[in-house]
Amino acid sequence: DFTHAISIQPKYKEAYFQRAKAKFFLNEEVNINIKDAINDLMIAKELGEKEAIKLLLKKSNSECFTLSAKWQNKDEIFCLDYS
């Protein structure tokens, strides 16, 4: 699974991206918390996954999210403002 792939290779952008997509699908089916999915997308974006920003823009609802990746030295905040 994607979590196992990430544990082996922590900078595997495609695994973060695909895990986020799976979490969004589960959210639609069983209404889980999407903050973990947003965090995965932010990590995928930081690692260079070009499709991650598109999905972030599509799935975020005027909220802010903080990225705290183990391999980063700083937190990143991603906010959307539709005003």
Side-chain angles (χ1 to χ4, degrees):
D1 71 10
F2 301 119
T3 302
H4 182 69
I6 291 167
S7 72
I8 294 169
Q9 188 175 349
K11 294 186 178 183
Y12 186 16
K13 65 183 177 184
E14 182 68 20
Y16 283 103
F17 182 66
Q18 294 301 328
R19 185 170 74 173
K21 288 172 52 177
K23 289 176 182 178
F24 281 121
F25 175 77
L26 285 173
N27 179 56
E28 292 171 6
E29 297 296 315
V30 294
N31 198 26
I32 64 168
N33 186 338
I34 66 162
K35 289 187 179 187
D36 288 338
I38 296 290
N39 193 59
D40 280 351
L41 284 178
M42 291 177 63
I43 294 170
K45 178 186 77 69
E46 281 296 305
L47 293 172
E49 177 58 54
K50 292 176 175 67
E51 295 298 312
I53 192 69
K54 293 177 187 176
L55 195 54
L56 270 169
L57 293 171
K58 181 179 178 182
K59 296 292 188 177
S60 297
N61 297 317
S62 298
E63 296 183 42
C64 292
F65 301 94
T66 303
L67 167 66
S68 297
K70 292 177 186 175
W71 45 268
Q72 287 187 320
N73 294 328
K74 59 181 174 56
D75 288 345
E76 175 183 334
I77 299 174
F78 182 83
C79 296
L80 294 174
D81 182 5
Y82 295 106
S83 57

